Amino acid sequence: MSPLSIAEAASRCPEQEWTTRVELAALYRVIHHYGMTDIANQEIGARVHGEPERFLIHPYGLLFEEVRASNLVKVSLDGAVIDGPGIWAGSGRESFVEHATERWVSDGGVNLGKWIFGARPDYNFFIHGHCEDVMAVSATEGGLRPLSQAYIYLREHITYLDYDFAEDDEYAASFHKAIAGHDIIVSHHHGYYAHRPARRRRPSSGAFYLRQGLLGAGQGRCGRSRRRRAHERDGPPARRDDRGSVRRVCQLPLRTAARSEPPCCASSNGECPDYRS
């Protein structure tokens, strides 16, 4: 945008709303910069500063790199679209891009704004995403585990929720129950929702921090599983000792038949025998 078009766009809304628009648009760009996007199917929302009953989301169909402060759409907590044509409910044959230029919004984005900002007046921003590592962990029985520093920081913030694509009243009630005491919701087989009470400076940073931490915890859990599977398939990695000879070094503790037996890497000479033998 040119300076003139920025000034023109800013003049069309109150100063507090424009500040919210700029920060939300910047958050969309940051999410894109870090590769956290899923085409146009995620959502980031912000409560309009000075208008607690209204929030902003992006037009459905726009990529996150295309979001600007001026093309965000304002919606009320009752789901009414204030400065756009309405909620897009197409059959899938229509062009997302055409609807995005008309500034339609998705019903999922509107629902999230209603549920999150309606239930938690202390929240001003939320991030909903479909991170592959988090989705993978959400599909496991144990979920996230204390295998990384990120999990230790976030364990009190996290809860889990069974996802229902219908997003009906029953699901809304479950969502409200989950969000009442937690800042991160991991939706089984679906994704995550990150939100944090607002702070005076950089109110969007709290939600982004939680999202980054959740990604780290998910990557730690998935990385652990990948390393264990590789260890079981190929054995421990090879490493050269001081004399230049190659030996196998165990990097993961292996379960033994008796609890009193040490893991293989605790043998007297430091060698790691093949546990499959």
Side-chain angles (χ1 to χ4, degrees), residues 65-76:
E65 62 191 280
E66 299 174 311
V67 173
R68 302 195 306 268
S70 59
N71 61 27
L72 292 163
V73 181
K74 189 192 298 186
V75 183
S76 65

Side-chain angles (χ1 to χ4, degrees), residues 92 198 245 251:
S245 60
Q251 292 184 331

Side-chain angles (χ1 to χ4, degrees), residues 187-204:
S187 179
H188 291 302
H189 310 283
H190 177 212
Y192 66 88
Y193 310 88
H195 16 66
R196 203 173 194 185
R199 296 184 177 182
R200 181 172 298 180
R201 297 186 63 185
R202 293 289 181 261
S204 64

Side-chain angles (χ1 to χ4, degrees), residues 69-242:
S70 59
N71 61 27
L72 292 163
V73 181
K74 189 192 298 186
V75 183
S76 65
L77 287 184
D78 61 4
V81 179
I82 296 172
D83 57 358
I87 299 174
W88 184 77
S91 63
R93 292 189 295 269
E94 296 87 351
S95 168
F96 287 167
V97 176
E98 291 176 2
H99 286 285
T101 57
E102 297 170 2
R103 297 176 65 189
W104 292 76
V105 293
S106 71
D107 54 348
V110 171
N111 285 339
L112 288 180
K114 290 164 52 180
W115 297 340
I116 294 172
F117 295 134
R120 293 293 300 265
D122 54 334
Y123 286 158
N124 283 341
F125 283 82
F126 72 81
I127 301 174
H128 167 53
H130 305 143
C131 167
E132 292 181 356
D133 287 317
V134 176
M135 283 195 289
V137 172
S138 75
T140 64
E141 184 176 354
L144 289 169
R145 296 180 180 177
L147 301 174
S148 66
Q149 181 172 277
Y151 173 84
I152 302 303
Y153 287 149
L154 300 180
R155 57 184 174 181
E156 300 299 328
H157 296 274
I158 299 173
T159 189
Y160 296 85
L161 179 68
D162 291 332
Y163 182 65
D164 185 349
F165 192 78
E167 295 191 353
D168 52 16
D169 292 341
E170 183 178 354
Y171 180 76
S174 299
F175 195 97
H176 284 151
K177 183 178 179 180
I179 202 176
H182 299 86
D183 298 326
I184 298 176
I185 299 175
V186 176
S187 179
H188 291 302
H189 310 283
H190 177 212
Y192 66 88
Y193 310 88
H195 16 66
R196 203 173 194 185
R199 296 184 177 182
R200 181 172 298 180
R201 297 186 63 185
R202 293 289 181 261
S204 64
S205 62
F208 181 73
Y209 168 80
L210 290 181
R211 186 258 173 260
Q212 281 290 82
L214 180 62
L215 175 60
Q219 289 176 338
R221 174 73 169 87
C222 290
R224 176 80 172 189
S225 298
R226 285 191 291 265
R227 288 192 297 272
R228 179 170 291 281
R229 287 195 300 269
H231 188 283
E232 293 173 349
R233 182 186 66 243
D234 305 325
R239 182 178 299 173
R240 292 186 179 274
D241 60 18
D242 295 337

Side-chain angles (χ1 to χ4, degrees), residues 58-69:
H58 81 303
Y60 189 52
L62 278 188
L63 301 177
F64 281 20
E65 62 191 280
E66 299 174 311
V67 173
R68 302 195 306 268

